[in-house]
Amino acid sequence: MTPAAAQTGRRRAVSRDALLAAALDVFLANGFQAARIEDIAQLAGVGKGSVYLHFATKEELFQAVVDAGVLGKLQQAETVADNFSGAASELLATLFHNNLIDFWDSPSSGIHKLVVAESQRFPELAANYHDSITRRARSLIESILELGIRQGEFRNVDVPYTARLILDALDNELIQAHAFADAASEPFDAHRFIDVLLNLTIAGLRNTKAPEADV
């Protein structure tokens, strides 16, 4: 690759990153339907035509925002799980306190509420999000539950619906955090919420015949 080509590639990468950041801000502020490509381009400091050099449609741009902000965090959690060698309860605690909190603290955590709010008007966006994010996150939790059962730490449970219940609790709190943040009478303590959810979950899953793991 020539120096000129390398420089062009770097400019395109910077431009794409700027577009994704600007698109996230505009989508969260205005919703998918009201978000305008012109506003995204202006916020990113580029012309409208530059957006279409990277993304053919607004739907494609939105999917790229989801991939960068949500799917990327989920892939990080999957990597942690793949390389973890301890007890299943320890893995849950690690993912919830580290990877999940990191995601909740990011602007991208508002995407879930946006998708839910726009799901009736844009069912295809919701379906794509469900397939690429929700199902994958649920599968990750299922794999941890199955690990705990194999290890003898967790009792036999209905794995798919237990995973669904755990993820629903997280998703519901995430939606409320973004929907009612300005009206909340007290600040939300994410670590406290995670501690309570973990304690309830692991207590319910515990195989009473197995020794307890420190969480």
Side-chain angles (χ1 to χ4, degrees):
M1 180 182 295
T2 65
Q7 185 176 7
T8 299
R10 286 193 294 272
R11 283 200 301 268
R12 286 179 177 172
V14 171
S15 176
R16 190 178 193 277
D17 290 344
L19 285 172
L20 290 177
L24 175 61
D25 287 345
V26 173
F27 283 135
L28 293 182
N30 302 331
F32 179 80
Q33 183 177 32
R36 302 193 314 159
I37 294 296
E38 295 92 327
D39 295 335
I40 294 171
Q42 183 178 14
L43 186 59
V46 299
K48 180 178 177 180
S50 296
V51 179
Y52 291 110
L53 288 176
H54 293 276
F55 309 101
T57 64
K58 187 166 71 169
E59 288 80 3
E60 185 178 315
L61 173 56
F62 181 78
Q63 187 60 51
V65 169
V66 171
D67 290 346
V70 185
L71 183 58
K73 297 291 186 183
L74 181 53
Q75 289 171 332
Q76 291 174 5
E78 290 171 336
T79 298
V80 171
D82 288 341
N83 294 289
F84 198 85
S85 58
S89 57
E90 295 171 344
L91 175 55
L92 271 179
T94 297
L95 291 180
F96 282 14
H97 275 299
N98 297 335
N99 299 80
L100 181 61
I101 292 294
D102 182 55
F103 171 65
W104 276 9
D105 285 342
S106 72
S108 297
S109 63
I111 292 175
H112 184 77
K113 171 183 171 290
L114 171 61
V115 171
V116 172
E118 300 276 30
S119 61
Q120 296 300 311
R121 285 177 291 187
F122 301 97
E124 186 174 342
L125 288 182
N128 289 340
Y129 186 88
H130 184 267
D131 289 341
S132 63
I133 303 299
T134 303
R135 284 185 177 178
R136 194 160 170 174
R138 193 180 296 159
S139 178
L140 175 59
I141 297 174
E142 288 176 1
S143 69
I144 299 172
L145 296 176
E146 290 165 351
L147 172 65
I149 293 171
R150 288 197 308 271
Q151 291 176 333
E153 182 185 8
F154 296 160
R155 61 189 177 85
N156 282 318
V157 295
D158 184 330
V159 169
Y161 272 82
T162 302
R164 182 187 291 263
L165 183 63
I166 294 170
L167 187 60
D168 283 352
L170 295 171
D171 286 346
N172 179 67
E173 195 59 44
L174 188 61
I175 291 172
Q176 292 198 57
H178 284 276
F180 305 117
D182 293 336
S185 58
E186 60 183 27
F188 173 65
D189 187 333
H191 284 283
R192 184 178 174 184
F193 175 82
I194 292 301
D195 278 336
V196 172
L197 180 60
L198 279 170
N199 287 336
L200 289 173
T201 299
I202 294 171
L205 291 170
R206 180 77 63 197
N207 180 354
T208 56
K209 298 179 181 179
E212 294 188 2
D214 294 329
V215 177

